[in-house]
Amino acid sequence: MQNSSPPPVNTHHIRSFIRRQGRATVAQKLAIDTLWDKYCLDYQQPQDLSAVFLNPAPLIVEIGFGNGESLASMAQANPQLNYLGIEVHGPGIGHLMMLLEQKQLTNVKLFHHDAIEVLERHIPDKTLAGIQLFFPDPWQKRCHHKRRIVKASFIELISKKLITGGYFHAATDWKHYAQEMLKILSASEHLKNASPTNTYCERPEYRPLTKFEQRGVRLGHGVWDLIFTTT
Ligand SMILES: C[S@@+](CC[C@H](N)C(=O)[O-])C[C@H]1O[C@@H](n2cnc3c(N)ncnc32)[C@H](O)[C@@H]1O
């Protein structure tokens, strides 16, 4: 399917990130210089997601993968799935491309762009088997809560992109954000909580510890997993 006229994108939303200046290591820079075209999709061009992977397979999107260690582990453990990682932090993209090359993984593609705009522009409705959001920036101060990516409009957007029976899996180490996510997700008429108590889930074995999570655990933070499926 050639997507010749992408849908218009609302670029005026409040962004869930601030571009970080973090410097890439020499190895990350090398990966960015040599591997970009192999793994990264061009946001500005139409993309046919059914043709960019080596093998057709259910597609999982991970939003904000950070340094990509956990995404690379999941992709390696699940060759029967394709993964689309979306991240705005350049060095993280470089780090993940290094891992993909080391592990010779062919089931991961990346966008270096705002995930909201990628979902709106490049992901047709009812195409994703899953969406993962692990340790999104918690934006702890009350005056910054509006920057949190999980809000009613985001849940509306992801619900449209998931196939029936597809899942949304979020995890956070910030209790207030976990409570807010639970409230917003539970209010959606398109989603059903996979937790038997209608609250949080145990971390499933398939989800590796992420870099950000390990930092939180060292600081004594709790971790809350939320898994919802589309009805
Ligand atoms: C707190 S870090 C967590 C990274 C990783 N998931 C982990 O657990 O180690 C959040 C990440 O989300 C990325 N991010 C935030 N908003 C985003 C957006 N709208 N689109 C893409 N990436 C985003 C940030 O650049 C950052 O790397």
Side-chain angles (χ1 to χ4, degrees), residues 67-69 72 94-104:
N67 73 1
E69 296 268 355
H95 191 83
L96 178 53
M97 288 194 296
M98 264 165 45
L99 298 175
L100 299 177
E101 197 64 7
Q102 279 162 14
K103 294 173 189 276
Q104 291 289 296

Side-chain angles (χ1 to χ4, degrees), residues 16-17 20 62-66 86-89 113-116 134-138 149 210-213:
S16 58
F17 58 90
R20 288 182 273 154
E62 181 160 335
I63 297 173
F65 54 76
I86 313 174
E87 176 54 71
V88 289
H89 187 51
H113 199 86
D114 183 342
I116 303 293
F134 299 148
F135 303 89
D137 296 294
I149 194 165
T210 76
K211 182 179 175 197
F212 196 81
E213 176 175 19

